[in-house]
Amino acid sequence: MEQARPTILSMRHITKEFPGVRALDDVSLEVATGTIHAICGENGAGKSTLMKVLSGVYPHGSFDGEIVYRGERVAFSRINDSERAGIVIIHQELALIPELSIAENIFLGNEPRGVLGIDWDTVRGRSRELLARVGLDEDPDTQIKNIGVGKQQLVEIAKALEKDVRLLILDEPTAALNEGDSQHLLDLLVGLRSKGVTSIMISHKLNEIEAVSDAITIIRDGKAIETLDIRDGAVDEDRIIRGMVGRTLGNRFPDRAGHAGEVFFEVRDWTVQHPLTAERLVAKQSSFTVRRGEVVGFAGLMGAGRTELAMSIFGRQYGTWLGGTIVKDGKEIQLRSVSEAIANGIAYVSEDRKALGLNLLDSIKRSIVSAKLGKIARGGVVDALAEAKVAEEYRQALRIKAPTVEMGVDTLSGGNQQKVVLSKWMFTDPDLLILDEPTRGIDVGAKTEIYQIVRELADAGKGVILISSELPELLGLADRIYTIFEGRITGEIRAADADQETLMRRMAPTKGDAA
Amino acid sequence: MKKTAIVALAGIAAVTVALSGCGRTEPGAEGGDDAAGFAADASIGVALPDRTSENWVLAGDLFENGLEEAGFEGDVQYAGSSNAVGDQQQQIQQMIDSGVEVIVIGAADTNQLATQLEAADAAGITVIAYDRLIQNSDLVDYYVAFDNFHVGELQAQSLLEGLEEKFPGEEPWNVELFSGSSDDSNSAVFFDGAMSILQPAIDDGTINVVSGQTTVQQTATEDWAAENAQNRMDTIITSSYQGVELHGVLSPNDNLARAIIASATGAGFPVPVVTGQDSEVASVESIVAGEQYSTIYKDTRALVAAAIDMVSELQAGEEVTTTGESDNGAVEVPANLLEPVIVTQENAAEAYAENPDLEPLTQP
Amino acid sequence: MTNDVQERRGFRASDLSMLAGKKGSLKEFGILGALVVIVVAFQIATEGTTLSSNNLINIIQSQSYILILAVGMVMVIIAGHIDLSVGSVAAFVGVVVAIAMNDWGLPWFVTILIGLGLGVLVGAWQGFWVAFIGVPAFIVTLAGMLMFRGLNQIIGQSRGIPVDREFVNLLAGYLPEVGPFTGYNNLTLLLGALAVVAVVVLELRGRAKRVRLGAAVPPMWVAVTRLALVAIVIIAAALLFASGREGTSFPNAGILFVLIALAYAFVTRNTSLGRHVYAVGGNRRAAELSGVRSRWVDFFVMANMSVLASVAGMLWIARAQASGPADGGGWELDAIAAVFIGGAAVAGGIGTVAGSIIGGLVMAVLTNGLFAIGVGSDWIPVIKGLVLLIAVAIDVINKQQGRFSFIGLMLRGLRRGRSNDLS
């Protein structure tokens, strides 16, 4: 069992070109049966392309090189071919239909036939077994839209198991999950491994990779750089990062300046009602303060109400405001709309870059100036030269990787898109920036750069609110951290005095005690 | 840099010179009277409305062949069905520009061609209104059509005869009235002709319009669409004919007549006495079978022939044959009005004897 | 020349693309190419009629109202909506204006104000339902299509209602003949000359400003060549339009259309309002979170469309010299087709005024040319339908693979064939 495990998959000399770009350049990958094999690399390195080559999204013949799967050369020309062979890919964007039930989703396109159409008893029975296997305690008739992202991820895996999966590919499976759900998912992968299911996991979360995977292949700029056996514990995070970025990163978190200024922004007794359910409060008498030059962290589980709190402050963009006041620079202010919030120097970088942060049809230039066009317009007419100049300044200052600011933001990687969003809000001259999960789905190199920007903003005297699900990020970057549980602020702690455990206990008081 | 500028200027100059050859000649050279006649092989424009009825398609074919036989070069165009007036305006303008001598117009809308008539007049082109009289313009030179007022009279007479024949002694007869599309100036003429006979009968109680709808607006059928007629008949039956017998319907044409019969029989009534017009194949079959009561035969062949005769007379510089004048709101237009024929089961064979398409239908 | 420092010397193939303009207007360039091909093809097929003075005037007279609708429609579509009511609104406004003139005896300039006012009211009505109640524009304007068509026929009692001569002369007429006899319409030539001067001055001033602010400018030869090409087109057009029949010129309706097109092209490209329309269509929620008042943007585009529809309606009754019950039939479809041929996206966020106008001209020239060569009216919708389908399909394929090329398509087919052989 230790040595010479049989190889389930070997991809040899894969080269895939798009017009003008070589996305994969002679990449080879060996995956041993019954292992969890991690693939790491910065965004745009070619990880997803490699998996699309494997699963037949890019049909055989559209790339060079060969794929040997379970001892045979294979040529998948569409995704169904690979699924029939037992290779199932679970994408970052889940492919479940929200209006259908769990059971219906699991058997979608693969419904067992009875005498009278679909055999629903079999569907429900099998679903129940599969849900038990993935450890999901839900009625198979529950609609997908009524369960959380974490549970949806488990349904996807159940769906894969139903197809008799031998090789499971997960693309950033825990990106959208909170700590608890992530842990559950990882445990499940380990469990599947013991039953002989091989997994390939694309992930940015190095601690997770370290915890569960057996081997790791690092891809950089379309080339496979190295494959590390990490079972013996000789490989640590820094080693992996070095492989990914091709150099050693210094301290991932910039040094704190130390002294924050006076309190300039204060929220008192903020209470907000859920937009649909009147009896549900998403913020309950929440009060907090922000000082100049300070990074204030907000920690909480998914659904605790962090985003809801932030968006309700930012021009009442979430729920119904029931009560509470906002005081800025000693004066009470009203933020009834986004324009009022912007005018009062508040900026909000949303957690969902693509859906809420950017118009993906726009160029970098137009995106950067979009939140405060008035600054470069006279009498409603945009000064194209001023616009180009401003955009160019930000491109250089934030090191946005694009040849010109005329490029569409849809062509940028996640990290660079996030830099555009940050530029857009910095352009509004805010006093307070609310950053909601600013590094979600961003690779390690870009993360470090964004940490640097956040720190610089604080050092320039701005207040920053940092909402994050990654506790090390909060601990490393914030000066002070508020914890939120079920819409209520449950604690406030200086980052220097906190560790992950103390934060977790406040983020999930009852559950934490029970576990 | 300098070189580029020179090349650019040279290019501009070249285009200017090349195109400046096409300026106008001194004014006053063209125009003038159309009495003098014109070349025997001249082109003649024929602008017809959209292709949605058999009659217009037939007319178009007859014009093409007839003009060719008469030695002219015919340019026959139909308007599209969605923006018929706009298409027709453009087509007439194109005919004017291409130098036709006469334009025969079957108007898509009889009120909206004034600008084109002005352009035709300026170019010295003679305009013949075909079948539909273009309104409110003194620039319509001639009009050739069937006598539409008389069509209405004949329809009303046959309706009364049919009622007498099928429902003798059941007066007052319950009757409904339909008129044509309100954007067609003929609709009101048909209806007025019919009402000149029916109004006395309504007044003396011989017939009873149960729905009470007796004006041309109330009875209009938009776009001459069968669907609209059927909907209106359905609605009237539901609202006015619960337990009341329906004896007859005045229908302005065959297409609507069939829709009306479908509506009545669909509601469980026996086939009422229904008039028609155009002698469409389906209606002639229906008349022979004893369903639709009557239709009007306006021989498209005769009408097209009359229009082409008119063109030939103009070409030769002869006096144009007219039977009278028609008022279009601006002027009395010299007109050649042909006599329509009423056709029932009785005289069908006789009426269609000369028509190769319809004649076989009348044979048992 | 002191700005030589800024100027890149020498020639590169990539510079050629700069002739097309500043932004990546490759798409518009493509449609423009298609238009040129169609014009040339008909010019040959009709033995020179297509580009004759009288025919060009005919095209402008018969299409300016559709082109004006396309200008409004592209903004509606960019914002992610649609307007099916434009034909009916035009007919409704037309009949009221005609009645105001004919039955009420109001002077023509008052009736024009009434028409515009009515456009504003109708637009506010439709905009209100779309923006503030949230009824989809498709439904609101479908309702409007029915309602305003009916109102046209109720108010006009389905009659043809004639309009005043002054009104006709203004909106469907031509520039007067002034000055000495030159063989041309002098005012048209003057307009052409003014347009050339304006283009040159604007280009040079813009260039000077860029240089002053230290921004990059394309090499001078590119600017000169571009200006020369534009000047040639304008001068050629002016000469052609000036040499039609006696008493004709570049049509007044065409002048109105050009002014409207320039104004809206400016608004969509260079103003905050224009940016907001694109932002709402591209990503409504992101726009709202950037401070854009999306409802007011919705209201504006819908209301604006109805105002332009009222202008189109008035142009039409002037051309037809009467309003009628079938006015505006099918206009909405012509305008929408023009916008999509011009490269707009069904989902919103993408589209340009220039593209839509070119799209409208493609359809216009196609119709005109097919009439001229005697293709039956039954075939014309078939051909137009196919053109619309193919134009949008090319656009879609373009998006899927970067750039469209038939060679690429064929290679892909070959590859697929090969892979099937192997497996």
Side-chain angles (χ1 to χ4, degrees), chain C residues 28-391:
Chain C
E28 278 148 47
F29 216 52
I31 315 158
L32 192 58
L35 177 61
V36 170
V37 168
I38 291 171
V39 168
V40 169
F42 279 122
Q43 176 75 355
I44 294 166
T46 61
E47 289 160 14
T49 311
T50 297
L51 283 180
S52 71
S53 301
N54 288 334
N55 192 54
L56 287 177
I57 291 171
N58 190 11
I59 290 178
I60 294 294
Q61 285 284 35
S62 62
Q63 297 298 327
S64 49
Y65 50 92
I66 297 287
L67 294 175
I68 286 173
L69 291 177
V71 169
M73 191 66 79
V74 70
M75 295 178 72
V76 172
I77 286 173
I78 290 168
H81 301 295
I82 194 89
D83 192 335
L84 301 175
S85 70
V86 292
S88 295
V89 172
F92 169 65
V93 171
V95 77
V96 174
V97 169
I99 283 189
M101 237 175 290
N102 196 50
D103 296 2
W104 307 341
L106 294 176
W108 57 270
F109 50 88
V110 177
T111 64
I112 289 179
L113 292 180
I114 290 176
L116 289 173
L118 211 53
V120 172
L121 282 180
V122 168
W125 162 262
Q126 302 206 118
F128 165 77
W129 291 101
V130 172
F132 300 111
I133 306 296
V135 181
F138 185 92
I139 303 297
V140 171
T141 59
L142 183 60
M145 183 183 185
L146 297 169
M147 285 164 47
F148 295 112
R149 170 65 55 206
L151 284 173
N152 161 289
Q153 293 172 355
I154 292 168
I155 294 170
Q157 292 175 322
S158 298
R159 296 172 290 152
I161 301 161
V163 298
D164 290 358
R165 175 50 61 178
E166 292 91 339
F167 183 83
V168 172
N169 287 347
L170 178 76
L171 292 180
Y174 300 94
L175 297 169
E177 304 282 355
V178 294
F181 178 77
T182 56
Y184 294 97
N185 177 278
N186 296 333
L187 286 178
T188 302
L189 293 185
L190 182 67
L191 277 182
L194 285 176
V196 171
V197 170
V199 167
V200 171
V201 167
L202 282 177
E203 170 86 19
L204 292 182
R205 271 180 52 185
R207 193 179 166 84
K209 189 180 176 199
R210 290 179 74 84
V211 169
R212 199 169 62 238
L213 293 174
V217 289
M220 196 65 182
W221 73 264
V222 170
V224 170
T225 313
R226 187 164 69 204
L227 281 177
L229 285 175
V230 172
I232 285 174
V233 170
I234 294 176
I235 290 170
L239 286 169
L240 281 171
F241 279 110
S243 56
R245 265 177 296 114
E246 178 66 24
T248 62
S249 70
F250 189 66
N252 294 354
I255 295 172
L256 180 62
F257 156 68
V258 170
L259 291 177
I260 287 177
L262 288 175
Y264 280 89
F266 181 81
V267 167
T268 50
R269 285 169 62 136
N270 299 336
T271 66
S272 304
L273 177 62
R275 291 292 175 87
H276 289 170
V277 174
Y278 281 98
V280 167
N283 185 338
R284 173 173 296 267
R285 195 70 188 113
E288 288 168 353
L289 285 174
S290 301
V292 174
R293 291 181 173 87
S294 61
R295 283 164 184 250
W296 284 103
V297 170
D298 294 339
F299 183 81
F300 166 74
V301 294
M302 296 311 293
N304 177 63
M305 181 73 257
S306 292
V307 174
L308 289 179
S310 75
V311 174
M314 289 188 277
L315 284 180
W316 165 261
I317 59 169
R319 176 167 162 77
Q321 300 196 13
S323 85
D327 289 355
W331 288 6
E332 59 284 336
L333 301 180
D334 283 343
I336 291 168
V339 169
F340 286 125
I341 290 177
V346 181
I350 298 176
T352 59
V353 168
S356 305
I357 291 170
I358 300 170
L361 286 174
V362 165
M363 284 300 205
V365 173
L366 208 58
T367 310
N368 177 278
L370 290 171
F371 281 157
I373 60 174
V375 171
S377 63
D378 40 2
W379 276 102
I380 290 175
V382 177
I383 294 167
K384 283 164 85 173
L386 279 174
V387 167
L388 172 64
L389 190 63
I390 290 167

Side-chain angles (χ1 to χ4, degrees), chain B residues 1 8 12 15 19-20 22-24 51 77-79 82-83 89-91 93-94 97 111-112 114-115 118 182-183, chain C residues 54 58 62 158 160 165 177 183-184 220 228 235-236 243-245 248 319-322 324-325 327 329 368 371 377:
Chain B
M1 165 61 235
I12 294 173
V15 170
L19 282 169
S20 57
C22 59
R24 309 165 175 148
R51 248 180 223 268
Q77 302 243 12
Y78 290 94
S82 72
N83 185 12
Q89 290 175 342
Q90 203 182 149
Q91 289 168 335
Q93 188 66 54
Q94 280 177 326
D97 293 341
N111 285 296
Q112 299 189 305
T115 304
E118 284 161 21
S182 45
D183 54 351
Chain C
N54 288 334
N58 190 11
S62 62
S158 298
R165 175 50 61 178
E177 304 282 355
Y184 294 97
M220 196 65 182
I235 290 170
S243 56
R245 265 177 296 114
T248 62
R319 176 167 162 77
Q321 300 196 13
D327 289 355
N368 177 278
F371 281 157
S377 63

Side-chain angles (χ1 to χ4, degrees), chain B:
Chain B
M1 165 61 235
K2 228 175 207 170
K3 239 184 270 171
T4 325
I6 292 167
V7 171
L9 283 175
I12 294 173
V15 170
T16 312
V17 171
L19 282 169
S20 57
C22 59
R24 309 165 175 148
T25 45
E26 284 284 346
E30 237 193 304
D33 232 352
D34 36 63
F38 48 84
D41 62 346
S43 20
I44 307 297
V46 180
L48 301 177
D50 57 68
R51 248 180 223 268
T52 47
S53 109
E54 284 176 27
N55 262 320
W56 288 114
V57 177
L58 175 62
D61 294 344
L62 291 171
F63 268 115
E64 294 232 16
N65 299 331
L67 287 170
E68 197 182 332
E69 275 170 33
F72 300 109
E73 196 187 315
D75 178 7
V76 180
Q77 302 243 12
Y78 290 94
S81 47
S82 72
N83 185 12
V85 185
D87 283 356
Q88 194 164 56
Q89 290 175 342
Q90 203 182 149
Q91 289 168 335
I92 294 171
Q93 188 66 54
Q94 280 177 326
M95 289 171 184
I96 295 168
D97 293 341
S98 71
V100 298
E101 292 289 349
V102 178
I103 303 180
V104 179
I105 301 175
D109 182 309
T110 52
N111 285 296
Q112 299 189 305
L113 296 172
T115 304
Q116 287 65 42
L117 295 196
E118 284 161 21
D121 181 60
I125 294 169
T126 306
V127 171
I128 299 174
Y130 172 87
D131 191 48
R132 300 173 176 178
L133 181 55
I134 297 171
Q135 302 290 308
N136 297 318
S137 170
D138 54 2
L139 301 173
V140 186
D141 295 299
Y142 299 100
Y143 176 46
V144 53
F146 281 96
D147 186 341
N148 286 328
F149 191 83
H150 191 46
V151 167
E153 290 174 331
L154 288 174
Q155 285 174 332
Q157 277 160 6
S158 85
L159 177 64
L160 292 176
E161 284 165 19
L163 290 168
E164 180 62 48
E165 182 187 322
K166 291 208 172 174
F167 306 102
E170 291 185 33
E171 294 101 321
W173 292 302
N174 297 326
V175 167
E176 287 302 325
L177 310 177
F178 280 71
S179 60
S181 185
S182 45
D183 54 351
D184 180 346
S185 62
N186 284 340
S187 299
V189 180
F190 295 140
F191 194 73
D192 291 346
M195 288 308 276
S196 70
I197 307 282
L198 292 180
Q199 193 62 50
I202 294 173
D203 293 342
D204 69 17
T206 323
I207 60 176
N208 176 23
V209 180
V210 181
S211 69
Q213 299 176 2
T214 56
T215 69
V216 68
Q217 283 91 5
Q218 286 172 324
T219 56
T221 309
E222 267 338 298
D223 303 327
W224 289 100
E227 181 197 347
N228 293 338
Q230 190 157 359
N231 288 341
R232 178 162 171 264
M233 193 71 233
D234 287 345
T235 313
I236 288 175
I237 287 174
T238 320
S239 58
S240 306
Y241 285 84
Q242 299 307 320
V244 180
E245 257 184 282
L246 173 66
H247 297 113
V249 180
L250 175 78
S251 161
N253 83 359
D254 283 348
N255 196 19
L256 304 192
R258 296 194 301 274
I260 289 162
I261 292 171
S263 172
T265 52
F269 288 100
V271 178
V273 175
V274 180
T275 61
Q277 173 173 219
D278 294 340
S279 295
E280 291 184 9
V281 170
S283 282
V284 173
E285 285 170 344
S286 176
I287 288 170
V288 173
E291 291 184 341
Q292 185 175 329
Y293 183 74
S294 71
T295 185
I296 297 283
Y297 184 42
K298 300 200 296 192
D299 189 353
T300 306
R301 288 167 183 76
L303 191 61
V304 171
I308 294 176
D309 286 348
M310 212 177 246
V311 173
S312 296
E313 286 162 354
L314 286 167
Q315 184 273 320
E318 295 165 6
E319 196 178 330
V320 174
T321 313
T322 56
T323 58
E325 288 181 330
S326 292
D327 185 358
N328 77 343
V331 71
E332 295 286 333
V333 182
N336 185 5
L337 298 179
L338 311 189
E339 276 296 306
V341 177
I342 187 89
V343 182
T344 60
Q345 200 176 16
E346 257 168 65
N347 70 341
E350 183 193 342
Y352 299 134
E354 303 291 314
N355 186 314
D357 298 326
L358 297 177
E359 191 268 339
L361 302 176
T362 60
Q363 303 307 317

Side-chain angles (χ1 to χ4, degrees), chain A residues 60-61 311 314 317 338-339 342 354-359 361 366 369 371 373 377 380-383 385 387 424-425, chain C residues 209-210 213 215 266 270-272 275-276 278-279 282-283 285-286 288-291 293 348-350 415 418-419 422:
Chain A
H60 178 80
M311 285 181 77
F314 187 66
Q317 291 299 297
V338 172
S339 0
I342 293 174
K354 290 187 176 168
L356 306 177
L358 287 170
N359 174 1
L361 303 172
R366 291 169 63 127
V369 298
L373 268 175
V381 178
V382 176
D383 183 339
L385 282 172
E387 176 185 28
K424 161 174 152 182
W425 288 108
Chain C
K209 189 180 176 199
R210 290 179 74 84
L213 293 174
F266 181 81
N270 299 336
T271 66
S272 304
R275 291 292 175 87
H276 289 170
Y278 281 98
N283 185 338
R285 195 70 188 113
E288 288 168 353
L289 285 174
S290 301
R293 291 181 173 87
I350 298 176
R415 281 228 173 103
R418 209 177 54 194
S419 75
L422 279 176

